[in-house]
Amino acid sequence: MQSAEAKALDISLEPSASKSKYGIGKFADGVLMARRLVEVGVPFVEVQLGGWDTHQDNFSRVKSLSGQVDAALSALITDLKDRGLLDSTLIVWMGEFGRTPNMNTRGANLRTANVAAVMVTANLPPFGTNGSRIDVTVSSLGDATSLSGGTLVM
């Protein structure tokens, strides 16, 4: 007999209408699998989407990558909310560095020391201002992974 966690890895068991909301590709499948793992109580799940280090052809590559993220994260948030799991789950989407608006001759922009992060949950106490620069350290977040016994999805 398979464990619930092992069954959660089998996204072929997911209805096609549900799968299509997440998009097509490895990242979409990974985010769908993350939702299934959260449903069976796995406390920490990480899904990665590489290719953001756009040293050339920045605009078309970021558009493609952003489309993958948009579809999958929108579906994840909606599904967790519909299943009553969003209030016990923290979704963190972030990159390792930011970019300036200045482009080089290959269509790539230059790195900055900034980091972009988006956090979504129904149960995280406010710790900063939405839409502006805030300086946050891990210690200022407190025990963000506990979420009253919830789940952290990265």
Side-chain angles (χ1 to χ4, degrees):
M1 176 178 280
Q2 283 190 322
S3 69
E5 293 86 356
K7 277 185 144 175
L9 297 174
D10 186 358
I11 61 172
S12 71
L13 299 173
E14 193 74 20
S16 60
S18 180
K19 279 182 77 170
S20 67
K21 295 187 305 184
Y22 285 79
I24 298 169
K26 289 181 181 181
F27 181 71
D29 291 349
V31 175
L32 175 58
M33 191 181 301
R35 193 219 66 217
R36 292 172 56 86
L37 289 166
V38 169
E39 287 179 311
V40 298
V42 174
F44 183 90
V45 182
E46 180 177 349
V47 181
Q48 296 183 8
L49 176 60
W52 290 92
D53 202 4
T54 56
H55 290 286
Q56 57 189 5
D57 198 22
N58 179 70
F59 294 113
S60 63
R61 289 183 58 203
V62 168
K63 183 176 182 179
S64 172
L65 291 163
S66 297
Q68 293 176 61
V69 170
D70 188 41
L73 286 184
S74 297
L76 176 64
I77 293 165
T78 300
D79 280 355
L80 290 175
K81 183 175 186 243
D82 291 348
R83 289 166 169 76
L85 294 168
L86 189 58
D87 58 350
S88 62
T89 305
L90 173 63
I91 301 167
V92 178
W93 179 81
M94 65 183 299
E96 62 179 294
F97 55 81
R99 295 283 190 176
T100 72
N102 302 322
M103 304 301 289
N104 68 22
T105 57
R106 293 177 300 170
N109 49 2
L110 307 172
R111 292 183 188 185
T112 68
N114 298 317
V115 174
V118 175
M119 292 191 241
V120 179
T121 185
N123 192 27
L124 183 67
F127 62 86
T129 304
N130 188 7
S132 66
R133 180 185 169 141
I134 55 172
D135 293 318
V136 178
T137 62
V138 172
S139 61
S140 70
L141 294 176
D143 187 13
T145 58
S146 69
L147 288 174
S148 304
T151 304
L152 175 63
V153 177
M154 294 182 72

